[in-house]
Every structure is written in C-alpha cells, then in structure tokens.
Amino acid sequence: MEKQRSFPETRRGSLAILLSGLLGLILLAFGMGWAAQTRTGLSDDLLDSFGERLVVLLIALALIQLFCAWHVPRLLELPHENAARVWLIIVSVGALGAVSLGTLEQLAVIAALAVPVIFMGEMFRPGSRDHLLWQVSGTYAGAVLAVMNSMWFLVARSGAASVALVCVAAMCGALLISLVLVGRTRLIAVPLGALIGGFAAQFWLGTLPGWITPAFALALALIMWGLDYLARSVGLRDNRGAKAALGLIPISAMGVVGYALSLLVL
C-alpha cells in the first residue's frame, strides 16, 4: 500500500508530475500543429467537418484522457477505483465522439448524462456503499476533466488551432519555470513563464491579439495555485501514476479556456 506523503518540494520529487505534463504538451502541440499546418482556410460553418487533419489531435487527446481515466481515481483515493475507471473511460469515449462528430451541444449532453449514469452505476454496483458521496463526486470530477480536455478538439475544428498553439506555448513556459524552481517560488513564477512562452508564440505567429496570452496566463495560474493548495492539503500517494495524472490535469482543464479564447478571437 502506498504511503501518504506531502506535496513534493524537490525537483526529483516532482519529476513524475513535470515529465507527464511535458509529454502531454508534446502530444497536444503535435496534434494542434498538424491541424494548423494542414488548414487551408476557414469554412462557412463555425465547426469544420471531421477530417484527416484532425486524426492526430484526436489520438493525442485520447491518450491523455485514457491515462487520466486510469490514474485519476488513484489520485483522488476513490474507494472503488476500478468502477470509477470504467465510467471515466465511457465518458471519455463519449466526449471525444461528441466533439469529433457533433458540436458543443452534444458535448454538454454527455456532461449532463454523466451525472445520472455514474450515480445509477454506483447504486447497482455489487459490493458496499461506503463513502458513496466521495465515490460519485470524485468520479464525476474526473468526467468533467475529460469533457474539458475534449474541448481542445473543438478549438481545432473551429479553425483556431493557432490560438491553441499559443496556449500550449504558454503552458510550456510555465513548465520550464517549474523545472528550474521549487516550492512556493515556482508558483509565483508560473504566470511569468506562461507570459514568456505565450508572447514568444504570438510573435512567431504574428496574427493574434495581444490580450490572449495574459488572459490564458491568469487562468493557468489560478488552476495551478488551486491544484497546489489541494495537493498540499490532502497529500499525494507515493504512486507515479497518480503523480503523473496530476501533471496532466492543468492541460486538460485549460481546454475550456482555450475554447473560450478561440470563440472570442473568431
């Protein structure tokens, strides 16, 4: 059984978190870069039809979501991890199917249906009902994370892959700061790293409004500060998979911010 430990304060202790974040960003950047490179122009519809240019991004998001679906239950210390994994995989498949073949409305339906489905699944699951509220709420939190992560796909379909690339660059800047600094200093410097990475990408792309990077950096800082507070409050299991899942949470959660920024730009 894993030991309960406090949030890692050293570079070595947080290595699994940072490396998983780096790998997630590489997957997201590659998928978005492929979508942006093969984009020939905006269609008349807000959402472009699913095509070959989006397959790479779909695979990248699927890998991130499946990893989180498997390890988030361990991170949240849910009493019935395997049951939660089943529901999170189902929601992840539904969310990716909704964004690839449907619209935001279909994704909202998936998010709404996840509530009764997860609850009824727990009610009919064989075994005890100990800590039912924690099991249901934790499972649905993972489902919401899967829904937010899938919204990166809507960014590419809306023709705003360049916006997503700026967001990825901002997260890369924040990650590089995290590799250099440790402890509370890291959190203070995360917005600075995000600003540097985002503005560098905007300078390279050259066509996006300047307010995108500060807005994304602020949202990313709030997410990072919230995760840090949560991890320090409840501690982390000495499990690499759980720590790696924590590193992918900001990437997934920022999907909704990336989509909101793409709507404002378009």
Side-chain angles (χ1 to χ4, degrees), residues 127-147:
S128 65
R129 300 291 180 270
D130 296 337
H131 309 290
L132 179 61
L133 179 60
W134 179 244
Q135 175 74 14
V136 172
S137 60
T139 304
Y140 189 68
V144 171
L145 191 67
V147 170

PDB file of all heavy atoms in Angstrom, residues 127-147:
ATOM      1  N   GLY A 127     -21.415  -4.901  -4.062  1.00  0.00           N
ATOM      2  CA  GLY A 127     -20.498  -4.523  -3.006  1.00  0.00           C
ATOM      3  C   GLY A 127     -21.084  -3.470  -2.091  1.00  0.00           C
ATOM      4  O   GLY A 127     -22.267  -3.106  -2.189  1.00  0.00           O
ATOM      5  N   SER A 128     -20.250  -2.964  -1.212  1.00  0.00           N
ATOM      6  CA  SER A 128     -20.686  -1.998  -0.207  1.00  0.00           C
ATOM      7  C   SER A 128     -20.903  -0.619  -0.821  1.00  0.00           C
ATOM      8  O   SER A 128     -20.442  -0.336  -1.928  1.00  0.00           O
ATOM      9  CB  SER A 128     -19.657  -1.908   0.916  1.00  0.00           C
ATOM     10  OG  SER A 128     -18.428  -1.392   0.412  1.00  0.00           O
ATOM     11  N   ARG A 129     -21.608   0.228  -0.070  1.00  0.00           N
ATOM     12  CA  ARG A 129     -21.859   1.606  -0.492  1.00  0.00           C
ATOM     13  C   ARG A 129     -21.125   2.591   0.417  1.00  0.00           C
ATOM     14  O   ARG A 129     -21.569   3.726   0.592  1.00  0.00           O
ATOM     15  CB  ARG A 129     -23.363   1.910  -0.473  1.00  0.00           C
ATOM     16  CG  ARG A 129     -24.190   1.032  -1.395  1.00  0.00           C
ATOM     17  CD  ARG A 129     -23.899   1.343  -2.868  1.00  0.00           C
ATOM     18  NE  ARG A 129     -24.702   0.502  -3.747  1.00  0.00           N
ATOM     19  CZ  ARG A 129     -24.311  -0.681  -4.193  1.00  0.00           C
ATOM     20  NH1 ARG A 129     -23.142  -1.177  -3.806  1.00  0.00           N
ATOM     21  NH2 ARG A 129     -25.082  -1.391  -4.989  1.00  0.00           N
ATOM     22  N   ASP A 130     -20.028   2.164   0.985  1.00  0.00           N
ATOM     23  CA  ASP A 130     -19.264   3.039   1.867  1.00  0.00           C
ATOM     24  C   ASP A 130     -18.707   4.217   1.077  1.00  0.00           C
ATOM     25  O   ASP A 130     -18.236   4.064  -0.055  1.00  0.00           O
ATOM     26  CB  ASP A 130     -18.111   2.270   2.525  1.00  0.00           C
ATOM     27  CG  ASP A 130     -18.615   1.154   3.430  1.00  0.00           C
ATOM     28  OD1 ASP A 130     -19.774   1.265   3.883  1.00  0.00           O
ATOM     29  OD2 ASP A 130     -17.867   0.192   3.664  1.00  0.00           O
ATOM     30  N   HIS A 131     -18.766   5.400   1.682  1.00  0.00           N
ATOM     31  CA  HIS A 131     -18.224   6.624   1.061  1.00  0.00           C
ATOM     32  C   HIS A 131     -18.825   6.844  -0.330  1.00  0.00           C
ATOM     33  O   HIS A 131     -18.106   7.185  -1.289  1.00  0.00           O
ATOM     34  CB  HIS A 131     -16.697   6.563   0.976  1.00  0.00           C
ATOM     35  CG  HIS A 131     -16.034   6.224   2.267  1.00  0.00           C
ATOM     36  ND1 HIS A 131     -16.003   7.103   3.335  1.00  0.00           N
ATOM     37  CD2 HIS A 131     -15.379   5.103   2.689  1.00  0.00           C
ATOM     38  CE1 HIS A 131     -15.354   6.553   4.342  1.00  0.00           C
ATOM     39  NE2 HIS A 131     -14.965   5.330   3.981  1.00  0.00           N
ATOM     40  N   LEU A 132     -20.131   6.663  -0.453  1.00  0.00           N
ATOM     41  CA  LEU A 132     -20.798   6.795  -1.754  1.00  0.00           C
ATOM     42  C   LEU A 132     -20.666   8.200  -2.324  1.00  0.00           C
ATOM     43  O   LEU A 132     -20.408   8.371  -3.520  1.00  0.00           O
ATOM     44  CB  LEU A 132     -22.276   6.417  -1.610  1.00  0.00           C
ATOM     45  CG  LEU A 132     -23.130   6.522  -2.886  1.00  0.00           C
ATOM     46  CD1 LEU A 132     -22.602   5.580  -3.962  1.00  0.00           C
ATOM     47  CD2 LEU A 132     -24.594   6.235  -2.589  1.00  0.00           C
ATOM     48  N   LEU A 133     -20.833   9.216  -1.471  1.00  0.00           N
ATOM     49  CA  LEU A 133     -20.735  10.594  -1.953  1.00  0.00           C
ATOM     50  C   LEU A 133     -19.354  10.887  -2.515  1.00  0.00           C
ATOM     51  O   LEU A 133     -19.224  11.518  -3.568  1.00  0.00           O
ATOM     52  CB  LEU A 133     -21.069  11.565  -0.820  1.00  0.00           C
ATOM     53  CG  LEU A 133     -20.995  13.059  -1.170  1.00  0.00           C
ATOM     54  CD1 LEU A 133     -21.964  13.381  -2.292  1.00  0.00           C
ATOM     55  CD2 LEU A 133     -21.281  13.922   0.053  1.00  0.00           C
ATOM     56  N   TRP A 134     -18.329  10.438  -1.827  1.00  0.00           N
ATOM     57  CA  TRP A 134     -16.949  10.677  -2.296  1.00  0.00           C
ATOM     58  C   TRP A 134     -16.701   9.925  -3.603  1.00  0.00           C
ATOM     59  O   TRP A 134     -16.052  10.456  -4.511  1.00  0.00           O
ATOM     60  CB  TRP A 134     -15.968  10.231  -1.223  1.00  0.00           C
ATOM     61  CG  TRP A 134     -14.524  10.400  -1.608  1.00  0.00           C
ATOM     62  CD1 TRP A 134     -13.588   9.429  -1.777  1.00  0.00           C
ATOM     63  CD2 TRP A 134     -13.854  11.644  -1.891  1.00  0.00           C
ATOM     64  NE1 TRP A 134     -12.376   9.969  -2.142  1.00  0.00           N
ATOM     65  CE2 TRP A 134     -12.522  11.329  -2.224  1.00  0.00           C
ATOM     66  CE3 TRP A 134     -14.257  12.977  -1.904  1.00  0.00           C
ATOM     67  CZ2 TRP A 134     -11.586  12.301  -2.547  1.00  0.00           C
ATOM     68  CZ3 TRP A 134     -13.324  13.947  -2.241  1.00  0.00           C
ATOM     69  CH2 TRP A 134     -12.014  13.606  -2.552  1.00  0.00           C
ATOM     70  N   GLN A 135     -17.228   8.720  -3.703  1.00  0.00           N
ATOM     71  CA  GLN A 135     -17.058   7.925  -4.919  1.00  0.00           C
ATOM     72  C   GLN A 135     -17.735   8.600  -6.111  1.00  0.00           C
ATOM     73  O   GLN A 135     -17.130   8.742  -7.181  1.00  0.00           O
ATOM     74  CB  GLN A 135     -17.631   6.520  -4.712  1.00  0.00           C
ATOM     75  CG  GLN A 135     -17.626   5.637  -5.937  1.00  0.00           C
ATOM     76  CD  GLN A 135     -16.264   5.113  -6.305  1.00  0.00           C
ATOM     77  OE1 GLN A 135     -15.333   5.182  -5.506  1.00  0.00           O
ATOM     78  NE2 GLN A 135     -16.118   4.604  -7.508  1.00  0.00           N
ATOM     79  N   VAL A 136     -18.976   9.036  -5.938  1.00  0.00           N
ATOM     80  CA  VAL A 136     -19.717   9.641  -7.040  1.00  0.00           C
ATOM     81  C   VAL A 136     -19.130  11.001  -7.420  1.00  0.00           C
ATOM     82  O   VAL A 136     -18.925  11.294  -8.604  1.00  0.00           O
ATOM     83  CB  VAL A 136     -21.211   9.780  -6.673  1.00  0.00           C
ATOM     84  CG1 VAL A 136     -21.957  10.576  -7.739  1.00  0.00           C
ATOM     85  CG2 VAL A 136     -21.842   8.406  -6.512  1.00  0.00           C
ATOM     86  N   SER A 137     -18.868  11.838  -6.415  1.00  0.00           N
ATOM     87  CA  SER A 137     -18.340  13.176  -6.706  1.00  0.00           C
ATOM     88  C   SER A 137     -16.950  13.106  -7.322  1.00  0.00           C
ATOM     89  O   SER A 137     -16.625  13.866  -8.243  1.00  0.00           O
ATOM     90  CB  SER A 137     -18.324  14.024  -5.436  1.00  0.00           C
ATOM     91  OG  SER A 137     -17.498  13.423  -4.444  1.00  0.00           O
ATOM     92  N   GLY A 138     -16.110  12.205  -6.828  1.00  0.00           N
ATOM     93  CA  GLY A 138     -14.769  12.063  -7.393  1.00  0.00           C
ATOM     94  C   GLY A 138     -14.802  11.547  -8.816  1.00  0.00           C
ATOM     95  O   GLY A 138     -14.053  12.019  -9.684  1.00  0.00           O
ATOM     96  N   THR A 139     -15.682  10.578  -9.073  1.00  0.00           N
ATOM     97  CA  THR A 139     -15.811  10.056 -10.431  1.00  0.00           C
ATOM     98  C   THR A 139     -16.318  11.130 -11.387  1.00  0.00           C
ATOM     99  O   THR A 139     -15.830  11.265 -12.518  1.00  0.00           O
ATOM    100  CB  THR A 139     -16.759   8.849 -10.456  1.00  0.00           C
ATOM    101  OG1 THR A 139     -16.295   7.854  -9.536  1.00  0.00           O
ATOM    102  CG2 THR A 139     -16.816   8.237 -11.841  1.00  0.00           C
ATOM    103  N   TYR A 140     -17.290  11.922 -10.929  1.00  0.00           N
ATOM    104  CA  TYR A 140     -17.815  12.968 -11.810  1.00  0.00           C
ATOM    105  C   TYR A 140     -16.784  14.078 -12.026  1.00  0.00           C
ATOM    106  O   TYR A 140     -16.751  14.683 -13.096  1.00  0.00           O
ATOM    107  CB  TYR A 140     -19.100  13.563 -11.244  1.00  0.00           C
ATOM    108  CG  TYR A 140     -19.776  14.490 -12.223  1.00  0.00           C
ATOM    109  CD1 TYR A 140     -20.342  13.993 -13.393  1.00  0.00           C
ATOM    110  CD2 TYR A 140     -19.816  15.862 -12.005  1.00  0.00           C
ATOM    111  CE1 TYR A 140     -20.936  14.829 -14.310  1.00  0.00           C
ATOM    112  CE2 TYR A 140     -20.417  16.707 -12.919  1.00  0.00           C
ATOM    113  CZ  TYR A 140     -20.973  16.190 -14.071  1.00  0.00           C
ATOM    114  OH  TYR A 140     -21.551  17.025 -14.991  1.00  0.00           O
ATOM    115  N   ALA A 141     -15.948  14.342 -11.026  1.00  0.00           N
ATOM    116  CA  ALA A 141     -14.874  15.315 -11.218  1.00  0.00           C
ATOM    117  C   ALA A 141     -13.939  14.860 -12.340  1.00  0.00           C
ATOM    118  O   ALA A 141     -13.519  15.664 -13.184  1.00  0.00           O
ATOM    119  CB  ALA A 141     -14.092  15.501  -9.917  1.00  0.00           C
ATOM    120  N   GLY A 142     -13.622  13.575 -12.372  1.00  0.00           N
ATOM    121  CA  GLY A 142     -12.819  13.050 -13.473  1.00  0.00           C
ATOM    122  C   GLY A 142     -13.540  13.134 -14.799  1.00  0.00           C
ATOM    123  O   GLY A 142     -12.922  13.384 -15.841  1.00  0.00           O
ATOM    124  N   ALA A 143     -14.869  12.952 -14.775  1.00  0.00           N
ATOM    125  CA  ALA A 143     -15.647  13.063 -16.005  1.00  0.00           C
ATOM    126  C   ALA A 143     -15.640  14.494 -16.542  1.00  0.00           C
ATOM    127  O   ALA A 143     -15.523  14.719 -17.748  1.00  0.00           O
ATOM    128  CB  ALA A 143     -17.083  12.600 -15.752  1.00  0.00           C
ATOM    129  N   VAL A 144     -15.770  15.465 -15.651  1.00  0.00           N
ATOM    130  CA  VAL A 144     -15.708  16.876 -16.057  1.00  0.00           C
ATOM    131  C   VAL A 144     -14.345  17.187 -16.660  1.00  0.00           C
ATOM    132  O   VAL A 144     -14.232  17.930 -17.649  1.00  0.00           O
ATOM    133  CB  VAL A 144     -16.002  17.793 -14.859  1.00  0.00           C
ATOM    134  CG1 VAL A 144     -15.727  19.250 -15.208  1.00  0.00           C
ATOM    135  CG2 VAL A 144     -17.452  17.627 -14.413  1.00  0.00           C
ATOM    136  N   LEU A 145     -13.309  16.618 -16.086  1.00  0.00           N
ATOM    137  CA  LEU A 145     -11.963  16.819 -16.617  1.00  0.00           C
ATOM    138  C   LEU A 145     -11.852  16.275 -18.037  1.00  0.00           C
ATOM    139  O   LEU A 145     -11.244  16.911 -18.910  1.00  0.00           O
ATOM    140  CB  LEU A 145     -10.952  16.126 -15.699  1.00  0.00           C
ATOM    141  CG  LEU A 145      -9.473  16.438 -15.942  1.00  0.00           C
ATOM    142  CD1 LEU A 145      -9.184  17.896 -15.607  1.00  0.00           C
ATOM    143  CD2 LEU A 145      -8.593  15.522 -15.110  1.00  0.00           C
ATOM    144  N   ALA A 146     -12.454  15.121 -18.289  1.00  0.00           N
ATOM    145  CA  ALA A 146     -12.442  14.548 -19.633  1.00  0.00           C
ATOM    146  C   ALA A 146     -13.204  15.436 -20.616  1.00  0.00           C
ATOM    147  O   ALA A 146     -12.779  15.620 -21.765  1.00  0.00           O
ATOM    148  CB  ALA A 146     -13.059  13.146 -19.606  1.00  0.00           C
ATOM    149  N   VAL A 147     -14.310  15.999 -20.174  1.00  0.00           N
ATOM    150  CA  VAL A 147     -15.088  16.891 -21.032  1.00  0.00           C
ATOM    151  C   VAL A 147     -14.283  18.151 -21.374  1.00  0.00           C
ATOM    152  O   VAL A 147     -14.251  18.589 -22.535  1.00  0.00           O
ATOM    153  CB  VAL A 147     -16.416  17.271 -20.345  1.00  0.00           C
ATOM    154  CG1 VAL A 147     -17.121  18.390 -21.100  1.00  0.00           C
ATOM    155  CG2 VAL A 147     -17.334  16.052 -20.250  1.00  0.00           C
TER     156      VAL A 147
END
